[in-house]
Amino acid sequence: MTTHTDTTTDGDTGATTAEPAGATTAEPAGATTAEPAGATTGGARRGFALLGAVQMTLIFTLASLAVPLPRIAAEFGLVRGESILLSAAYGLTFAGLLLLGGRLADRYGGRRALTAGLLLFGTASALAPLAPDYAALLGARFAQGAGAALVAPAAMGLLRALYPEPAAYGRAMGTWGGLSVLGATAGNLLSGAITAATSWRASFAVPVAVAAGALLLAPRLLPAAPPGARRGLDLPGALLATAGIVLASTGLVLTDAHPWGSAPVLVPLLAGLVLLAAFARAQRRTADPLLPPDFLRDRRRLLGLAAIALTAAGTATVFVLLSLALQQDRGWSALRTSGAFVPFAAALLGAGRLAGPLLGRYGPGRVTAAGLAAAGAGLALLAATGGEPALPYAVGLLPGLLLLPAGGALSFAGAAVLATERVPAARAGLAGGVLNTAMELGPTVVFAALLTLGGSAAPLAAAAALFAALAFLIVRLAK
């Protein structure tokens, strides 16, 4: 990783005039004084393992209803629109509250924010399987997302405290980038297996167990860094951002059940866009904005966030379209459908182990571009052969299901470094909130747009073209 001193991109509004970027060795006062977990290599690794398990579980929970959703709909007598909202509820509050969660993590300290978020996330996860009806389950999913929105940016802030040295932090972020794809894969695989063996309600045991374990281990493995500067929380900005993201995302999600020109789509979509425009304007005028405008002026960061959003969207598109096609068109069971993605998980793990060394040798820009190109090729193969029932699995699906995750793991790893490498430590929570927002909104926005193309081959082919285009841009611009 290269070193920079960033005086315009990431200056702390009202706090300092020039702050060393995250790729330098300078750290804010207090960032390294209380670091019991990161003081040794073993301690940092144990802390990273804990945070990584938490991050994977957050994304596992996002994907865990995809396969069992037909059974839930049958049990509660849901119509298509209700099923879609139930599936999206977790992601809506997760994405909508991430910016506020990042500010809270920076203000009150990562471990405090993580603990509070885990309490909410774990409690909601414990209540979800007890839900007697649709409304109760929907409320639990919304609450899960609110807890996750506090946990995710806090975890990234703690990751920065565990690895204060630039080189070590870069390697850690390279691994961190692949955890989300792995979590999504695990969500699809395990939820299908659990549903087939017992009930969809049992799949909520995973987030409950991880949340409980993390609450017990956090005081021992994670640094108790002091709170940051007590700046304002910009609650008006948080309200505008949350309402805008939730409403616009709801409108996009409902395009699967209603035409684009219908009221159920247009009303929330347009209202959300108006609120987001108001949020952007307010951020330029407030003295202590929730999302400082300068934060998004770094070209490499923007490209990294775009790669994260697109990779998440491509993966989600494949999971949803193939899961539906295999169960509805080919008559596969939930367990067999989950089994089809086992090679996907194996390729993801293998490529994830290569990401760190490749980042050190070639840099995040080249690794991200190569990953996008490989993932795009996998999508193109699935578009060409995945919808042909006459082709055996080993010919029609397996090549694409190996190439896509291998490229996706590299893309996520490189893009995570691009998106965070020049962020000051005092804004690690903000960076985590923005990164996870891109990860959540990517599937919502891009997936909704791809679905309008109809069928399964056309969305996959269009996604492949987007991957190739972004890979080209990163090669040209991420220098």
Side-chain angles (χ1 to χ4, degrees), residues 315-333:
T315 303
T317 300
V318 168
F319 276 134
V320 173
L321 292 181
L322 285 187
S323 293
L324 290 174
L326 292 176
Q327 292 183 77
Q328 296 177 354
D329 298 339
R330 301 194 186 189
W332 287 20
S333 66

Side-chain angles (χ1 to χ4, degrees), residues 22-477:
T24 68
T25 57
E27 297 288 338
T32 59
T33 56
E35 217 172 73
T40 66
T41 301
R45 287 177 178 172
R46 289 190 292 272
F48 180 89
L50 176 61
L51 294 175
V54 169
Q55 175 69 10
M56 285 178 57
T57 303
L58 298 184
I59 308 303
F60 169 95
T61 306
L62 181 69
S64 61
L65 287 192
V67 175
L69 190 59
R71 290 197 180 186
I72 299 174
E75 180 175 332
F76 290 142
L78 305 182
V79 299
R80 183 176 177 84
E82 290 173 328
S83 297
I84 292 170
L85 183 58
L86 181 62
S87 177
Y90 174 83
L92 290 176
T93 48
F94 193 174
L97 291 169
L98 273 167
L99 293 178
L100 178 60
R103 173 55 64 91
L104 290 171
D106 286 336
R107 181 176 183 181
Y108 294 107
R111 202 170 81 184
R112 288 183 181 179
L114 184 83
T115 300
L118 284 171
L119 283 171
L120 177 56
F121 176 76
T123 301
S125 299
L127 292 175
L130 304 177
D133 52 32
Y134 169 72
L137 182 57
L138 183 66
R141 289 287 286 177
F142 277 127
Q144 278 185 311
L150 189 53
V151 171
M156 282 197 61
L158 287 165
L159 185 66
R160 182 63 172 271
L162 287 173
Y163 295 97
E165 293 297 324
Y169 179 68
R171 289 192 296 270
M173 282 306 303
T175 303
W176 187 266
L179 293 178
S180 295
V181 183
L182 185 58
T185 306
N188 281 272
L189 291 175
L190 292 181
S191 64
I194 291 171
T195 299
T198 56
S199 165
W200 61 266
R201 297 175 185 269
S203 63
F204 287 95
V206 175
V208 171
V210 173
L215 286 169
L216 290 174
L217 294 174
R220 297 172 52 192
L221 300 182
L222 301 177
R230 288 300 182 107
R231 295 175 294 205
L233 288 177
D234 186 20
L235 292 179
L239 181 60
L240 287 171
T242 301
I245 289 174
V246 170
L247 284 172
S249 298
T250 300
L252 290 170
V253 167
L254 291 177
T255 58
D256 188 54
H258 302 279
W260 276 90
S262 65
V265 171
L266 284 181
V267 171
L269 179 58
L270 293 178
L273 292 176
V274 169
L275 290 175
L276 289 175
F279 168 73
R281 183 175 182 181
Q283 296 304 283
R284 293 194 296 268
R285 297 188 173 189
T286 186
D288 194 15
L290 186 69
L291 177 60
D294 287 347
F295 190 81
L296 296 179
R297 291 179 185 169
D298 185 289
R299 184 172 62 190
R300 286 166 64 88
R301 182 173 305 145
L302 282 176
L303 289 170
L305 292 172
I308 288 170
L310 186 58
T311 304
T315 303
T317 300
V318 168
F319 276 134
V320 173
L321 292 181
L322 285 187
S323 293
L324 290 174
L326 292 176
Q327 292 183 77
Q328 296 177 354
D329 298 339
R330 301 194 186 189
W332 287 20
S333 66
L335 182 60
R336 187 180 180 187
T337 299
S338 293
F341 289 98
V342 170
F344 188 105
L348 182 67
L349 289 170
R353 294 182 63 87
L354 296 174
L358 291 175
L359 283 168
R361 183 170 184 178
Y362 298 107
R366 291 180 178 178
V367 171
T368 304
L372 287 169
L379 286 166
L381 283 175
L382 290 172
T385 62
E388 296 293 336
L391 291 176
Y393 171 83
V395 176
L397 292 173
L398 185 59
L401 289 177
L402 291 175
L403 198 52
L404 171 61
L410 298 181
S411 173
F412 255 117
V417 177
L418 286 177
T420 60
E421 64 180 345
R422 302 163 94 171
V423 177
R427 285 187 171 175
L430 171 63
V434 173
L435 186 149
N436 281 278
T437 299
M439 193 184 306
E440 296 303 314
L441 289 182
T444 301
V445 176
V446 179
F447 184 43
L450 291 175
L451 283 182
T452 62
L453 299 176
S456 59
L460 294 176
L466 290 175
F467 273 68
L470 184 56
F472 176 78
L473 285 177
I474 289 176
V475 169
R476 295 293 303 271
L477 300 177

